[in-house]
Amino acid sequence: MVHADQVHKSFGAVEVLKGVDLRVRPGEVCCVLGPSGSGKSTLLRCVNHLEKINAGRIWVDGDLIGYAERGGRLHELREKEVAAQRRAIGMVFQRFNLFPHMTALDNVVEAPVRVRGEKRSVVRDRAAALLERVGLGDKVGNYPAQLSGGQQQRVAIARALAMEPKLMLFDEPTSALDPELVGEVLDVMKNLAADGMTMVVVTHEIGFAREVGDSLIFMDAGVVVESGAPREMIANPRHERTKAFLDKVL
């Protein structure tokens, strides 16, 4: 589902990704660990071309993301074409980014109506079902200010699912939440994984990675230091840098 090949990304003189490879199979949950500044979030944003890569290639479900290859050279796609690719890739950020003047239901409805041109009456039924799915069936008429952080993040997940994506990207979805609210968001993500959603999850939740992840990669200083099966890697890291990181967070 995701194939990143030797991805490089720089911001000015700072090289943030230094030749990163990533493979995620359909239905797989890939968790990404690493210290702040290691390039985790940048890699995630490159997958849906929110950040343009400087070298390498990224494919999602066989489609080269952000570019067309002609005659062995890459040509950047127009923004409209990139936007069409992003429709199949849901993303949930650290901050919820909900529209504050819209109810939970309308936040979920908006993208399918605006982006895909679906009928609002049809989407409202799907949106209500999605809010029910994330445990917010009784909050459809509430505005973001009337919801807890965990509830807002669950609305954000429902909003991403409303576009019926083939891939979900999560960028530290629980990092902005109070500790007692983390579990309710992780439970929704566990249910998505059980339903077969392909997910790439940047997280510091080691328990989630161990329990739900099918694969785990540890990044540091813009490279993949180590990758493998989550339980094995967390219990017996091979690389000293991985071990040092896990010793601090476990």
Side-chain angles (χ1 to χ4, degrees):
M1 182 62 76
V2 181
H3 177 197
D5 180 40
Q6 284 297 295
V7 172
H8 291 255
K9 173 63 183 176
S10 297
F11 295 100
V14 180
E15 192 175 17
V16 179
L17 299 178
K18 305 172 183 176
V20 172
D21 294 328
L22 175 69
R23 287 181 179 270
V24 183
R25 299 183 305 273
E28 181 179 334
V29 178
C30 174
C31 294
V32 185
L33 299 179
S36 296
S38 60
K40 311 181 301 295
S41 294
T42 298
L43 174 61
L44 212 62
R45 291 170 65 85
C46 288
V47 171
N48 64 1
H49 207 62
L50 285 176
E51 297 290 354
K52 300 176 183 178
I53 62 177
N54 299 114
R57 286 164 173 72
I58 298 175
W59 293 266
V60 172
D61 199 22
D63 291 331
L64 184 61
I65 296 298
Y67 301 91
E69 190 166 3
R70 294 190 291 271
R73 299 188 63 181
L74 293 182
H75 301 268
E76 190 167 358
L77 297 178
R78 294 174 305 205
E79 183 57 36
K80 187 175 182 180
E81 295 171 305
V82 175
Q85 291 184 325
R86 287 197 193 111
R87 293 176 194 174
I89 306 171
M91 187 160 185
V92 178
F93 299 88
Q94 296 178 37
R95 298 291 174 178
F96 326 121
N97 298 322
L98 300 179
F99 295 115
H101 63 291
M102 293 184 180
T103 64
L105 185 70
D106 287 335
N107 264 282
V108 178
V109 165
E110 191 69 7
V113 171
R114 295 276 185 173
V115 177
R116 295 194 350 186
E118 296 186 57
K119 289 186 177 180
R120 190 171 294 271
S121 58
V122 174
V123 179
R124 285 178 70 86
D125 290 341
R126 187 164 83 239
L130 285 170
L131 287 170
E132 185 72 41
R133 182 179 177 184
V134 299
L136 295 174
D138 59 338
K139 304 292 185 183
V140 293
N142 287 53
Y143 290 88
Q146 299 171 315
L147 301 173
S148 71
Q151 290 170 335
Q152 289 185 62
Q153 191 63 295
R154 284 186 279 156
V155 173
I157 293 172
R159 178 180 59 185
L161 292 173
M163 292 293 285
E164 300 177 320
K166 61 182 72 172
L167 168 68
M168 285 284 284
L169 308 176
F170 292 87
D171 187 8
E172 298 191 31
T174 60
S175 66
L177 300 179
D178 292 334
E180 65 267 24
L181 302 177
V182 168
E184 63 191 49
V185 173
L186 293 180
D187 285 343
V188 170
M189 295 170 64
K190 290 174 186 176
N191 290 335
L192 283 180
D195 289 342
M197 175 62 73
T198 309
M199 299 159 61
V200 182
V201 184
V202 171
T203 184
H204 289 300
E205 301 292 339
I206 306 297
F208 176 86
R210 183 193 292 115
E211 179 184 345
V212 183
D214 298 300
S215 62
L216 177 64
I217 71 171
F218 173 71
M219 292 183 65
D220 187 37
V223 300
V224 175
V225 175
E226 186 172 344
S227 61
R231 290 178 182 272
E232 174 62 25
M233 215 173 117
I234 292 167
N236 300 295
R238 299 186 303 274
H239 198 284
E240 281 301 315
R241 183 65 187 93
T242 313
K243 184 177 186 302
F245 176 81
L246 290 172
D247 283 346
K248 289 180 180 179
V249 299
L250 286 175

